[in-house]
Amino acid sequence: MRGPPVKTKNKTLWKKTFDSSGRREADFSSLSGRPLEPLYSREDLDGIDAASEIGFPGDYPFTRGVHPSMYRGKLWTMRQFSGMGTADQTNERYKFLLEKGQTGLSVAFDNPTLYGRDSDHGLSVGEVGKTGVAVDTAADMERLFRDIPLDRVSTSMTINAPAAWIFAMFLANAENRGISFAGLRGTLQNDILKEYIAQKEWIFPPEPHMRLITDLMAFCADHVPQWNTISISGYHIREAGSTAAQELAFTLADGFAYVEYGMRAGLNVDDFAPRLSFFFNAHLDFFEEIAKMRAARRIWARHMKDKYGAKNPRSWLCRFHVQTAGCSLTAQQPEINIVRTALEALAGVLGGCQSLHTNSMDEALALPSEKAVEIALRTQQIIAFESGVANVIDPLGGSYYVEKLTRELEDEAEAYFRKIEEMGGIVGAIEQGFPQREITRAAYEYQMALSRKKKFQVGVNAFANPGETLEIPILEIEESVEKDQLAFLERTKAERDNGAVRRSLEALAAAAAGRDNLMPRLLDCSRVRVTVGEISDALAAVFGEYREQPFF
């Protein structure tokens, strides 16, 4: 026996019912300030062609993932960003993480190294080994990776301004150990454009630095074919305060610039584009983050195929690493950062990442302790092996909300691309301060939303514990680290062939003044223990140094 007929509603009818209902006082925009509907339905997919725009995993435009089998074929690489103190201390941390089930390495360098300075530089005082590992010469690379099989574990290095010669030191170490360059797998961040936009660690002006990058791309295409030559990074753009759409747009615009410079240098796009990869932030707005990653794949595939004429389908793939948002962590009630990180990591996985770093609960206070980093790694392992989310590919595909958000973010990014194009591309836009101003405005608006309690941070502007005491262990980097590193650098300089050092630096400067690929000369420098700072100085004498114009 049938009951009374059920009235079928459309969204307009439902909205009348909704409008007459009560609701709580709250801000219902996304973390980026995007206005959100209370409900998404089939009508929101009007204008989206499911077959050509959403499709299947592994098929163009790869909205649902870059591989047909995704995590049924291979889980993401669990890669904790790590570096502290001396190379010996960081080597111990790497072995600890590998023993706990980590599947890739990610090197965090200290500030002097990131700026291309030696540990004995005057501006390095007090900074050596504090926020990452100190690396001055290839001898430090030997200590850093001692007893780690570089041809069996992929290695990522977060380094930009001196990336080319840090990579040369990595190669020199592999060569000394008899490991073929062809067997090396990993990623170099090497994304100088985002440094000008957000992170602010540079040495040279944009044009000569872009030559270094295209030289490295050409060298790897011939000699280190499995190496990802650039990890085009939105992470630091987001950490500087951008919205999700700005992160998407400026990151992909940087990627397009690397493609254009590579092609302008005479490289075949299909020879280097398959080794470009990306690095996105996973912030706390769960669905917005997932939509951002899906939109990134679709946009990159379309531009690579239609604008740049890439014919190899691997050139169309937007493969990316994800790191949970450091800027979302709080020093207050640090244990609840575990929950924030778990949500962000889940967004990265549902967004289809190829590798993932999960922040540790204590990173708003210090470099992570062993206890904190193990919990962060276990968070990934619970998602991978207990939650069940890796069993089904792109389980949110087809969601009215997620598909609508994906389209909106895609449209916002394309609008930014048009503005950037009018400025002569992303390098011109950077020189005019455009992305910098856009990010500054977004960061200001978010901070105002926090101060007005339109947005919340639990433990900070809501649900605070006045007078709380810190109850977790905090890692401290001893002052002896700097003394030990300075002593090691002094010994290295005393024991090396300083005649060979001088000759290799002269050859490097001559190549920089000409048009030869600089990577062979940088490799020669690394073999004879030339320091990071000596190489920076030699190249700066030819290329000049960058000074940012202030923008208001």
Side-chain angles (χ1 to χ4, degrees):
M1 185 175 174
R2 292 184 174 182
V6 176
K7 188 176 179 182
T8 302
K9 285 183 178 175
N10 60 29
K11 193 171 180 181
T12 304
L13 284 173
W14 167 82
K15 187 75 166 44
K16 288 180 181 176
T17 312
F18 172 78
D19 288 341
S20 64
S21 306
R23 72 201 63 166
R24 61 191 168 92
E25 284 293 323
D27 172 65
F28 292 107
S29 66
S30 75
L31 192 79
S32 297
R34 174 187 312 283
L36 297 174
E37 296 293 328
L39 179 77
Y40 290 82
S41 61
R42 191 166 58 83
E43 291 96 318
D44 291 295
L45 300 189
D46 287 349
I48 297 176
D49 185 317
S52 64
E53 295 181 57
I54 301 174
F56 289 91
D59 284 352
Y60 179 89
F62 309 102
T63 308
R64 307 196 67 185
V66 294
H67 301 302
S69 59
M70 287 301 290
Y71 303 138
R72 282 218 174 190
K74 179 179 181 294
L75 287 171
W76 62 93
T77 300
M78 298 180 192
R79 194 192 299 279
Q80 294 299 104
F81 181 49
S82 183
M84 47 185 267
T86 65
D88 290 327
Q89 291 170 317
T90 298
N91 177 268
E92 289 176 18
R93 175 62 65 91
Y94 290 165
K95 289 173 180 171
F96 169 82
L97 287 167
L98 290 169
E99 181 196 329
K100 297 294 180 183
Q102 176 170 275
T103 52
L105 297 176
S106 179
V107 185
F109 296 95
D110 69 357
N111 275 330
T113 311
L114 291 172
Y115 282 100
R117 297 177 187 135
D118 290 339
S119 297
D120 59 3
H121 190 287
L123 292 176
S124 302
V125 176
E127 295 284 344
V128 177
K130 286 291 172 65
T131 57
V133 61
V135 171
D136 291 309
T137 69
D140 290 314
M141 279 291 180
E142 292 172 8
R143 298 194 294 160
L144 187 60
F145 295 108
R146 184 179 297 124
D147 302 326
I148 292 175
L150 295 178
D151 50 350
R152 281 185 277 147
V153 61
S154 70
T155 304
S156 171
M157 288 181 272
T158 300
I159 191 83
N160 296 283
W165 48 109
I166 287 289
F167 183 54
M169 292 177 185
F170 178 82
L171 293 178
N173 176 42
E175 188 177 66
N176 278 343
R177 293 172 57 179
I179 299 170
S180 165
F181 290 174
L184 296 172
R185 292 179 298 113
T187 303
L188 197 63
Q189 191 161 89
N190 197 26
D191 178 8
I192 198 63
L193 292 175
K194 74 99 168 69
E195 294 293 335
Y196 301 123
I197 293 174
Q199 187 157 270
K200 314 296 182 183
E201 291 166 347
W202 54 65
I203 302 173
F204 318 120
E207 288 295 336
H209 200 111
M210 291 298 274
R211 174 198 166 181
L212 270 169
I213 290 173
T214 54
D215 280 359
L216 192 144
M217 290 195 297
F219 180 85
C220 286
D222 290 338
H223 303 286
V224 203
Q226 296 190 79
W227 198 270
N228 296 317
T229 53
I230 316 176
S231 176
I232 305 154
S233 174
Y235 186 83
H236 306 90
I237 290 171
R238 193 61 178 283
E239 292 285 297
S242 81
T243 64
Q246 289 168 349
E247 178 193 353
L248 177 67
F250 299 145
T251 307
L252 293 183
D254 288 348
F256 299 148
Y258 294 124
V259 171
E260 289 165 10
Y261 273 78
M263 294 174 72
R264 205 179 300 162
L267 305 178
N268 183 320
V269 66
D270 285 320
D271 286 343
F272 69 87
R275 301 320 309 179
L276 301 179
S277 62
F278 290 83
F279 175 19
F280 289 113
N281 190 302
H283 214 303
L284 271 168
D285 195 307
F286 190 71
F287 294 105
E288 189 171 59
E289 295 306 296
I290 294 166
K292 176 188 72 183
M293 297 170 203
R294 302 172 91 247
R297 282 191 291 270
R298 196 150 78 199
I299 295 169
W300 183 253
R302 185 171 62 246
H303 281 250
M304 290 305 294
K305 177 174 176 287
D306 297 339
K307 182 173 181 180
Y308 298 110
K311 294 182 173 54
N312 182 351
R314 293 192 62 77
S315 300
W316 307 340
L317 300 183
C318 180
R319 299 170 297 117
F320 56 83
H321 173 71
V322 163
Q323 180 170 340
T324 55
C327 61
S328 72
L329 304 180
T330 61
Q332 297 86 346
Q333 302 178 39
E335 296 93 335
I336 63 175
N337 289 327
I338 296 171
V339 182
R340 292 188 175 101
T341 295
L343 286 169
E344 293 164 352
L346 188 58
V349 170
L350 292 175
C353 69
Q354 278 60 63
S355 64
L356 177 63
H357 164 99
T358 35
N359 288 328
S360 300
M361 62 175 161
D362 52 358
E363 290 193 60
L365 297 158
L367 294 181
S369 67
E370 276 195 356
K371 182 69 177 175
V373 76
E374 182 173 348
I375 291 172
L377 177 60
R378 296 290 184 244
T379 302
Q380 293 199 45
Q381 291 163 337
I382 289 170
I383 292 171
F385 299 108
E386 294 187 19
S387 75
V389 300
N391 292 340
V392 174
I393 303 165
D394 188 31
L396 293 177
S399 152
Y400 302 133
Y401 180 31
V402 170
E403 298 299 351
K404 176 72 171 177
L405 266 181
T406 302
R407 166 57 72 84
E408 286 183 0
L409 283 157
E410 184 180 10
D411 290 345
E412 280 187 62
E414 290 289 350
Y416 267 121
F417 298 153
R418 287 190 288 275
K419 287 183 187 174
I420 290 167
E421 196 71 31
E422 290 169 4
M423 297 176 191
I426 193 67
V427 174
I430 290 169
E431 289 171 347
Q432 294 171 55
F434 174 66
Q436 297 95 313
R437 282 196 301 273
E438 289 290 288
I439 294 168
T440 301
R441 178 178 54 77
Y444 172 77
E445 289 173 355
Y446 180 63
Q447 289 304 314
M448 290 303 290
L450 287 174
S451 65
R452 290 170 180 161
K453 295 196 174 182
K454 280 185 69 181
K455 300 291 183 192
F456 294 100
Q457 273 188 311
V458 172
V460 180
N461 70 349
F463 311 108
N465 286 340
E468 70 172 297
T469 55
L470 196 62
E471 295 177 348
I472 60 171
I474 294 296
L475 177 72
E476 292 188 12
I477 305 298
E478 302 290 337
E479 294 302 320
S480 60
V481 163
E482 186 161 325
K483 291 179 183 171
D484 292 346
Q485 183 64 20
L486 290 175
F488 186 78
L489 175 59
E490 187 177 359
R491 267 201 316 278
T492 303
K493 285 182 175 178
E495 292 170 0
R496 68 186 183 178
D497 179 346
N498 282 302
V501 167
R502 179 179 49 76
R503 290 191 294 276
S504 64
L505 282 170
E506 288 171 353
L508 175 64
R515 303 183 64 176
D516 290 348
N517 190 307
L518 292 173
M519 283 306 298
R521 302 287 77 78
L522 290 170
L523 193 50
D524 287 343
C525 289
S526 299
R527 288 171 177 137
V528 295
R529 304 286 196 258
V530 178
T531 69
V532 168
E534 289 168 338
I535 293 173
S536 300
D537 291 345
L539 291 176
V542 179
F543 292 158
E545 295 186 42
Y546 182 66
R547 291 284 183 272
E548 186 179 44
Q549 298 297 314
F551 299 105
F552 301 100

